[in-house]
Amino acid sequence: MLVLVLNCGSSSVKFAVIDTGSGAASVSGSVEEIGVSARLKAKKGAEVFKRSVDAPNHGSALAVIQNFLKEVGEVQGIAAVGHRVVHGGEKFSKSVLINAEVLKVIEECSVLAPLHNPPNLQGIAAAQKNFPELPQVAVFDTAFHGSLPNYAYLYGLPYELYEKHKIRRYGFHGSSHRFVAKKTAELLAKSPKDLCLIIAHLGNGCSATAVKFGLSVDTTLGLTPLEGMVMGTRCGSIDPGIILHLSKLGYDFEGLNKLLNKNSGLLGLSGISSDMRILLEKADAGEERAKIAVEVFCYRAAKEIASLMPALPRLDALVFTGGIGENSEPIRKKILSHLEIFKFGENGGPQVMVVPTNEELLIAMDTEEVAGK
Ligand code: ADP
């Protein structure tokens, strides 16, 4: 089946047309800087497209994508649209066909993901308008973690906050962790039901998940995608008392939001960049702050990986994925150097694997399964 996969962010829409049979994307791209200076970037085979477009909002960005797909002869044959939706709350532990009721629940979850769910909803509305004849499926970042036991998802806060405000760990990157868990089992020629894994997704966002016999049983991201590892611009876990202290120093909600989500992590530590490739180059060239950022990133990644051990009865493999996890051997080595106690890669110890993720393909496969019913 040919599936149009859409990932709508606050100022961009990423798209790909994926053939679920071959797993290949025939065309992929994005409309970025939606607003006054929108640009279309795309590639089809070896052909690359880059141009300014008129896309003041998500609706017009979708129209730009539709026209572009027509132009390159890729619109025919698309049988369904799959949407990446960040937060599905406690309601969705599987991908679902989008209807009015589903939209209402995604809307309700916006309070838990104010930066992500509203643009996801705008994208869905625009896709429904532009592709009215196609079934639309929502694939949630949180869904794979629906199997967490309550002792893993509850925080040490008054239980009423969970009951009243649904404050708990949800976890994210679920499509990536699910895809990689399945792929790892294939590579090891085993059933997912026979494997205990820790998957470390290291990209701009970073998280690790403990997968016990095919199910997510604990994960490092929490109520929001801020917890756990140090990320590109997000701080990861910090002493919650820091927030109290900063609020005394005059930081308001907006200031804290920007600090913790946009100006922390590798960027904040280095003062140079959130991009690991750049930091590795600068560290090699002797820049102290780049070195510090890389060291903190690796130590904290190791610490978060180790924090998942209590979730598993044994560990068969630690699997690296994501832009950093897949491509940077020095980072993998540095992380493993902090985990010597677990005897990774040694005789009798857990394996270390690198398995490329493909969230778009997982969204396309789920869309086929749900829309085909
Ligand atoms: P996203 O989370 O946005 O999907 P990616 O998974 O593509 O991001 O990861 C982006 C990160 O991967 C960037 O920090 C980038 O520098 C890093 N990266 C990509 N290739 C390499 C490499 N060869 N060595 C080190 N880091 C890399």
Side-chain angles (χ1 to χ4, degrees), residues 14 84 173 201-206 232 234 266 273-280 297 321-331 357 359-360:
K14 291 189 194 142
R84 177 188 184 196
H173 292 147
H201 174 114
L202 311 178
N204 283 315
C206 300
R234 291 179 238 150
L266 290 173
S273 172
S274 63
D275 192 300
M276 185 57 92
R277 265 172 303 196
I278 294 175
L279 292 179
L280 286 171
F297 179 92
T321 194
I324 300 171
E326 290 167 29
N327 298 305
S328 182
E329 164 132 49
I331 296 288
T357 192
E359 290 162 270
E360 287 83 10

Side-chain angles (χ1 to χ4, degrees), residues 40-62:
L40 170 78
K41 284 193 206 157
K43 71 174 198 270
K44 182 186 175 185
E47 253 182 302
V48 176
F49 304 82
K50 271 188 195 166
R51 61 177 84 139
S52 296
V53 291
D54 183 27
N57 53 46
H58 285 74
S60 42
L62 256 288

Side-chain angles (χ1 to χ4, degrees), residues 350-370:
Q351 295 193 46
V352 177
M353 297 172 71
V354 177
V355 177
T357 192
N358 191 339
E359 290 162 270
E360 287 83 10
L361 177 55
L362 184 121
I363 293 172
M365 293 189 307
D366 265 26
T367 301
E368 175 176 39
E369 199 188 318
V370 172

